[in-house]
Amino acid sequence: MLESLGRIKNTLVRSVAVAATVGSVVILSTAVIIGVTNAKDKSAYQLGVYSSLFGTVSGAVFGLVYTSKASGNKSTPDLNTSDSHLWKNWRNFVVVRKVRESKEITSFYLEPEDKGQITNFQPGQFLPIKIDINGQDKPVIRTYSLSDYPEPCEYYRLSIKRELAPRGLDVMPGIASNFMHDCIQEGSVISVKPPNGKFVLDVQKSIPAVLISNGVGITPMISMAKACTRLNPNRLIWFIHGARDGKSHAFRDEVMEIFQQNPNLNIHFRYSRPTPEDIGKYHSIGYVDTVLIKELFRQEAEYFLCGSPPFIQSIRDGLKESGVPDSRVFFESFTKPIKSDFEKQTVTATGGEEFAEIVFAKSGKTLTWQPSDGTILEFAEANDINPSFSCRVGVCGTCMCKICEGEVAYQEEPTATIDQGSVLICISQPRTSKLVLDI
């Protein structure tokens, strides 16, 4: 009964329903008692009337104050009222499981070392981590998308691709990803900050959502698909993913499990170079592009993109040419995307000033900056000042610091949430002739 009661959202209607129910039960019970005892005096009938009134009033009050616990469990986490008060700074987490998902991607399941509660998150957000790597003069900070959506939220899962050195280029392989694959094992401890990021799926919406990814870009899409399946299974979802072949395709079985649970989830896997062993594992051959997307889905929808920068740029351009407004396209990339014809030119930074004096207050250095020095972060690094950073594109917020004096201009619109009076130095330059930073 309480579960049914919790489904009545209108407080007045719920109050009347409970009052009628309790009042009826009390009247019936009183009548049975009077009938069994064969009471004839006036006081017995007065007791019946008073009992009925008391039961009705009590039921009405109970209906007013009752709220369903069960219905509360199905609500979508609110990004603005999240439980981020649990912790804000770095906190130690233990790797409790390490699972190889494909030949390139490995998952790490993290639980707090102190056994305390952890912050819930919106599907699509990322997790900042800090690791100590031999040979590096300071801890390495990276951000990785959360690839699961557990309920209740008792662990975080990061699924990390091993970044190898590009062929033919004198470029180092990914320091953090290779360290995580080779050196981090079950029982290892790493530092973690609360989940963050604006690349999120609003589960409460009814408009269809198209999740488009390639490679390791599949990770936030799994979180989104799981969240919708559990919290809003009536919402139409398309899950479109591109991989090289079956060995490179992570989470295929997991996505198929979600598909079995949700009749409104549609999937399409496209392999660019399938092997004979992959027959039955994919739906088409080639690369995911807007031609495929339009073949599969032509309704009004929101589009979520995650993958390599050229992939994201290609899909964005194709959707725009197809008439999809920018407000319906959401994407995330932790590296700078290729500029397209649709993108505006970046802002000039100094507002007419050719030079600017930057005071790095904590470091005790005052230096002269000019436009050729690049961003504030690049300028700081060139002068042996090493602020924390990760993405270098304004997504993660790791490089945020306070401005004590002056103003900055952004080369591109930041994605991360910026605190009042603070700046992301990875994509900004001085706007005023003097700038004082708490670095």
Side-chain angles (χ1 to χ4, degrees):
M1 176 185 170
L2 291 179
E3 184 176 350
S4 301
L5 179 63
R7 296 194 185 103
I8 303 175
K9 303 301 181 184
N10 188 296
T11 304
L12 181 60
V13 173
R14 184 171 63 240
S15 177
V16 171
V18 179
T21 303
V22 176
S24 299
V25 171
V26 172
I27 290 172
L28 181 61
S29 302
T30 305
V32 170
I33 293 172
I34 292 175
V36 170
T37 58
N38 199 24
K40 301 293 185 180
D41 59 311
K42 182 179 179 181
S43 61
Y45 294 101
Q46 288 179 334
L47 175 63
V49 172
Y50 293 148
S51 298
S52 302
L53 289 173
F54 178 78
T56 302
V57 172
S58 299
V61 173
F62 182 78
L64 284 171
V65 301
Y66 180 80
T67 56
S68 171
K69 295 182 179 179
S71 62
N73 291 338
K74 288 295 182 182
S75 63
T76 307
D78 187 346
L79 189 61
N80 297 319
T81 58
S82 66
D83 45 0
S84 58
H85 64 278
L86 294 176
W87 100 92
K88 293 183 178 180
N89 297 312
W90 295 109
R91 181 180 175 189
N92 285 343
F93 275 64
V94 180
V95 178
V96 295
R97 287 182 64 200
K98 181 179 179 181
V99 180
R100 186 176 182 183
E101 309 290 358
S102 71
K103 68 178 183 180
E104 299 173 322
I105 298 173
T106 295
S107 288
F108 300 85
Y109 291 75
L110 310 175
E111 293 182 1
E113 187 179 44
D114 59 16
K115 308 296 184 183
Q117 288 182 291
I118 62 175
T119 305
N120 208 335
F121 61 94
Q122 289 277 45
Q125 288 189 305
F126 59 78
L127 193 72
I129 67 170
K130 181 171 67 174
I131 47 181
D132 295 308
I133 301 177
N134 293 334
Q136 300 298 309
D137 56 0
K138 62 176 182 176
V140 175
I141 298 173
R142 291 292 184 268
T143 51
Y144 296 104
S145 296
L146 289 153
S147 64
D148 202 355
Y149 195 78
E151 277 200 319
C153 185
E154 296 177 338
Y155 66 87
Y156 296 138
R157 185 177 75 178
L158 302 180
S159 302
I160 300 172
K161 177 185 176 183
R162 181 191 291 273
E163 298 291 349
L164 303 174
R167 292 181 181 178
L169 296 177
D170 186 19
V171 178
M172 290 287 291
I175 294 173
S177 66
N178 281 275
F179 180 82
M180 291 292 292
H181 276 248
D182 297 334
C183 302
I184 297 296
Q185 307 298 335
E186 293 181 1
S188 297
V189 177
I190 61 176
S191 296
V192 169
K193 274 191 173 182
N196 204 344
K198 295 181 179 179
F199 179 65
V200 297
L201 176 74
D202 185 348
V203 180
Q204 295 175 337
K205 288 186 177 181
S206 59
I207 184 172
V210 185
L211 314 180
I212 309 167
S213 61
N214 75 344
V216 74
I218 194 174
T219 51
M221 306 308 185
I222 297 172
S223 176
M224 292 179 180
K226 284 190 174 183
C228 261
T229 297
R230 292 171 182 169
L231 303 174
N232 188 6
N234 293 324
R235 186 176 186 179
L236 181 63
I237 302 288
W238 266 98
F239 193 108
I240 304 171
H241 179 69
R244 179 188 178 93
D245 53 31
K247 291 183 179 179
S248 301
H249 186 181
F251 303 109
R252 182 187 179 280
D253 292 341
E254 188 165 328
V255 174
M256 293 304 297
E257 287 181 12
I258 307 172
F259 173 71
Q260 296 295 330
Q261 299 167 13
N262 187 352
N264 288 311
L265 174 65
N266 305 276
I267 60 173
H268 189 97
F269 300 140
R270 171 167 278 196
Y271 288 2
S272 59
R273 298 182 184 179
T275 64
E277 292 79 16
D278 294 332
I279 294 176
K281 295 181 180 180
Y282 59 92
H283 302 91
S284 63
I285 299 175
Y287 294 95
V288 173
D289 55 19
T290 48
V291 174
L292 171 66
I293 295 166
K294 286 187 288 186
E295 288 176 357
L296 296 174
F297 189 81
R298 291 184 176 273
Q299 295 177 238
E300 186 178 359
E302 289 185 338
Y303 296 84
F304 295 82
L305 321 177
C306 191
S308 62
F311 170 79
I312 291 177
Q313 198 64 62
S314 173
I315 301 296
R316 288 179 65 197
D317 291 346
L319 291 174
K320 193 171 187 73
E321 291 171 359
S322 300
V324 178
D326 291 341
S327 60
R328 291 287 172 82
V329 181
F330 309 90
F331 64 94
E332 183 165 77
S333 174
F334 291 103
T335 54
K336 289 185 182 289
I338 299 169
K339 294 292 180 184
S340 73
D341 295 335
F342 302 112
E343 304 244 44
K344 294 181 179 179
Q345 296 295 320
T346 55
V347 221
T348 356
T350 57
E353 298 289 342
E354 293 185 1
F355 298 92
E357 178 184 87
I358 302 182
V359 179
F360 295 94
K362 286 184 177 179
S363 303
K365 291 185 177 183
T366 300
L367 304 167
T368 301
W369 173 94
Q370 55 187 346
S372 60
D373 291 322
T375 65
I376 298 171
L377 175 59
E378 292 168 338
F379 181 59
E381 292 173 326
N383 288 279
D384 298 321
I385 300 170
N386 297 299
S388 297
F389 72 92
S390 178
C391 70
R392 304 185 82 101
V393 291
V395 171
C396 69
T398 303
C399 69
M400 183 167 60
C401 71
K402 290 185 178 180
I403 300 180
C404 304
E405 181 183 332
E407 296 178 0
V408 301
Y410 286 103
Q411 294 178 318
E412 54 193 90
E413 189 68 24
T415 301
T417 301
I418 306 173
D419 295 341
Q420 184 72 27
S422 297
V423 59
L424 301 182
I425 61 174
C426 70
I427 55 170
S428 62
Q429 298 176 341
R431 184 191 291 276
T432 52
S433 58
K434 183 177 181 180
L435 182 66
V436 181
L437 300 173
D438 189 28
I439 299 176

